[in-house]
């Protein structure tokens, strides 16, 4: 497994993986607009997006971040791992990759907006605190980098 900067050649596979991941969580499998055009919503704005690619050249995870204007903070977005690949450290590798790049870009606080309800997004509410994130407002967590 390797973490790579977003490449549009993987767009459809990434979208399929996200839909599967949402379905496995019992969520209606819909796709967020930003995932339809990663370049416009992340790359062209100076932000980043990564993919986790398995040995069969398939997308098994993703994450991105977007800077908060006029601050040294950024929001993490779209951390998903294919359900059959969870608990293998892929989410941790994606998160560490994003946090390292944010630090290199002078970002000192990483924020994440969690879904509601906690019961439906329980994995996020368990994952981020394990990596140093603390809830500061309902459905929001942050970490000093």
């Amino acid at each position: 497994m390797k973490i790579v900067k977003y490449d549009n050649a993987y767009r459809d596979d990434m979208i399929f993986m996200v839909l599967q991941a949402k379905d496995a969580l019992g969520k209606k499998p819909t796709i967020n607009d930003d995932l339809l055009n990663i370049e416009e919503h992340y790359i062209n704005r100076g932000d980043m997006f990564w993919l986790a690619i398995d040995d069969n050249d398939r997308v098994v995870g993703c994450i991105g971040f977007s800077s908060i204007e006029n601050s040294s903070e950024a929001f993490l977005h779209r951390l998903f791992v294919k359900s059959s690949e969870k608990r293998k450290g892929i989410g941790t590798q994606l998160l560490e990759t994003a946090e390292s790049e944010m630090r290199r870009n002078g970002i000192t606080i990483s924020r994440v907006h969690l879904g509601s309800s906690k019961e439906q997004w329980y994995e996020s509410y368990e994952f981020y605190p394990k990596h140093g994130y603390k809830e500061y407002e309902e459905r929001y967590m942050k970490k000093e980098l």
Side-chain angles (χ1 to χ4, degrees), residues 38-54:
I38 297 296
E39 287 92 352
E40 178 184 331
H41 290 276
Y42 296 92
I43 311 302
N44 296 346
R45 295 179 180 191
D47 298 321
M48 281 299 301
F49 203 92
W50 294 268
L51 303 171
I53 307 296
D54 70 10

Side-chain angles (χ1 to χ4, degrees), residues 32-122:
N32 301 77
D33 287 342
D34 62 319
L35 292 177
L36 298 174
N37 193 336
I38 297 296
E39 287 92 352
E40 178 184 331
H41 290 276
Y42 296 92
I43 311 302
N44 296 346
R45 295 179 180 191
D47 298 321
M48 281 299 301
F49 203 92
W50 294 268
L51 303 171
I53 307 296
D54 70 10
D55 294 337
N56 296 315
D57 203 36
R58 298 299 304 267
V59 176
V60 294
C62 63
I63 193 171
F65 78 80
S66 61
S67 302
I68 299 172
E69 211 170 313
N70 300 317
S71 78
S72 61
E73 301 179 15
F75 268 102
L76 291 171
H77 298 284
R78 314 296 176 229
L79 175 54
F80 285 102
V81 175
K82 187 176 179 179
S83 61
S84 63
E85 300 301 310
K86 289 185 177 183
R87 313 273 185 273
K88 296 181 180 179
I90 296 169
T92 297
Q93 288 180 356
L94 285 162
L95 180 62
E96 289 172 353
T97 299
E99 288 178 346
S100 291
E101 182 67 17
M102 287 190 287
R103 279 187 209 93
R104 276 193 290 279
N105 287 314
I107 295 168
T108 59
I109 295 180
S110 173
R111 296 182 182 267
V112 64
H113 175 233
L114 303 172
S116 63
S117 69
K118 281 187 178 182
E119 293 77 27
Q120 197 166 31
W121 292 99
Y122 66 94

